[in-house]
Amino acid sequence: MESEANGRVSFSWDMHWRCNYRCPYCWWHGRWEHLDNQNYYPGVEKLVKVWKRIYELYGSANVNISGGEPMTYPGFFEFLPEMVKYHNIVINTNLSGDMKKMIEVLGNSVEKVKFNATFHPLFADFEQFTGKAKLINDAKFYICVTYLAYPPQIKDIPLYREKFAALGFRLCVLSFWGDYNGKKYPDSYTAEESEIISPSLGRRSGQEYQIKPLFTEGKPCNAGHTYATIHPDGKALRCGGGSWEKEDTAVGNLFDENFKLQDAPLPCTSKHCPCNEWAFLLVKDE
């Protein structure tokens, strides 16, 4: 099986749908109370058991941990040192938590842990955010700073690109998928907005995030075969696009003792791939 990097199987895992921020552009905006009913907290011991089983099935995987905000997950600091015994992880975090403690519990795991630090100027103080980012960088962990090209935030991209660069960080801009002022994005980016976004546009597996949506429906894809998106209750979907247009692409539940990925690639069932998973999942022509 091949996946996003190093031939590993990979997962994107929303640990829970709780966050201390309320960004208007979030996938979960306006639905936090409803989504909280789907959160499941089985305890550190069971989580470790589940991910050890994945290791026994597929070897060491790449696990992209998101939320909500992962650092608000109960027992997160106790779970992390156990998780990295088995898998490589990326932690998507707004850096609002205790980064000194994070670095302490991770110890010498710098080769197995990366940080995707999401900067949200509506809630985060620039100096505090960059101070914590510097702690991570100084501890020799890889860190990437990301920023969303939400229409009201686009004008500030050049400013933040310069400010982060001055501190040694590259700003990676992600395209916004959603509705704003009656327009659907990323389809509605203007030429001027695209020109501002493009120099800082982030990449996934070497492919830039989309300013104009790519059509993927019907194309053979490894989603569900070498990769799955995991919801807080353990529901495993083939990919992020599998819930974007409410398609039913469930392949099982991570907490099921018989859970496993599909045996082969299948055609994509989504019109678009908002999380850019196509970059490493679409089956390449021979």
Side-chain angles (χ1 to χ4, degrees):
M1 289 184 172
E2 292 184 355
S3 193
E4 186 163 4
N6 302 320
R8 302 172 188 269
V9 165
S10 58
F11 298 88
S12 290
W13 178 28
D14 289 349
M15 290 191 79
H16 68 166
W17 287 326
R18 286 181 184 170
C19 187
N20 52 324
Y21 289 0
R22 287 295 181 268
C23 304
Y25 43 73
C26 182
W27 300 110
W28 321 126
H29 180 61
R31 298 191 289 148
W32 288 107
E33 287 189 12
H34 170 71
L35 290 168
D36 195 47
N37 295 325
Q38 300 179 46
N39 288 327
Y40 173 56
Y41 300 100
V44 171
E45 184 177 349
K46 181 166 183 178
L47 286 180
V48 173
K49 181 180 179 180
V50 165
W51 285 106
K52 181 180 179 182
R53 178 179 177 273
I54 294 297
Y55 173 78
E56 291 168 349
L57 279 174
Y58 302 113
S60 185
N62 291 322
V63 184
N64 196 307
I65 299 176
S66 299
E69 170 53 46
M71 290 185 68
T72 65
Y73 190 94
F76 187 62
F77 288 130
E78 290 75 28
F79 168 70
L80 275 184
E82 298 299 317
M83 183 66 166
V84 297
K85 290 179 181 178
Y86 304 107
H87 303 293
N88 290 348
I89 63 173
V90 176
I91 302 172
N92 295 277
T93 173
N94 59 32
L95 298 190
S96 61
D98 187 343
M99 301 313 300
K100 289 183 178 180
K101 185 174 181 180
M102 172 78 81
I103 293 167
E104 178 184 342
V105 300
L106 287 173
N108 61 355
S109 302
V110 293
E111 298 298 324
K112 302 195 72 175
V113 182
K114 296 180 180 180
F115 289 88
N116 177 26
T118 57
F119 179 58
H120 304 281
L122 289 173
F123 293 90
D125 176 82
F126 182 82
E127 282 70 29
Q128 290 181 0
F129 179 90
T130 53
K132 292 182 177 183
K134 190 174 186 301
L135 285 174
I136 295 169
N137 190 61
D138 288 349
K140 307 304 181 184
F141 289 93
Y142 173 88
I143 180 170
C144 174
V145 176
T146 59
Y147 178 91
L148 191 67
Y150 182 55
Q153 296 187 161
I154 293 173
K155 66 182 186 305
D156 296 323
I157 289 175
L159 170 65
Y160 283 123
R161 179 169 60 231
E162 182 177 335
K163 291 181 72 172
F164 278 108
L167 296 172
F169 298 104
R170 181 179 181 272
L171 185 65
C172 297
V173 175
L174 309 183
S175 49
F176 169 63
W177 288 75
D179 297 321
Y180 179 76
N181 278 357
K183 296 180 179 179
K184 188 175 290 293
Y185 288 84
D187 311 62
S188 298
Y189 284 132
T190 66
E192 181 182 4
E193 289 172 331
S194 297
E195 188 175 344
I196 294 172
I197 295 167
S198 292
S200 302
L201 197 58
R203 293 173 176 266
R204 189 168 188 181
S205 290
Q207 300 293 329
E208 289 185 339
Y209 280 86
Q210 303 155 69
I211 295 180
K212 294 298 180 184
L214 174 74
F215 285 89
T216 54
E217 190 173 18
K219 296 181 179 181
C221 186
N222 281 303
H225 171 50
T226 62
Y227 172 82
T229 295
I230 310 296
H231 284 187
D233 61 1
K235 183 177 182 180
L237 300 177
R238 289 183 64 194
C239 62
S243 58
W244 176 244
E245 305 239 352
K246 306 298 188 292
E247 300 95 341
D248 184 8
T249 62
V251 295
N253 191 293
L254 180 72
F255 298 122
D256 186 331
E257 63 181 15
N258 296 314
F259 170 78
K260 66 174 184 176
L261 294 167
Q262 296 169 343
D263 294 330
L266 291 173
C268 175
T269 60
S270 304
K271 292 181 181 178
H272 303 299
C273 189
C275 302
N276 244 50
E277 295 146 317
W278 69 271
F280 61 97
L281 290 178
L282 286 183
V283 177
K284 294 181 173 62
D285 295 330
E286 298 294 338

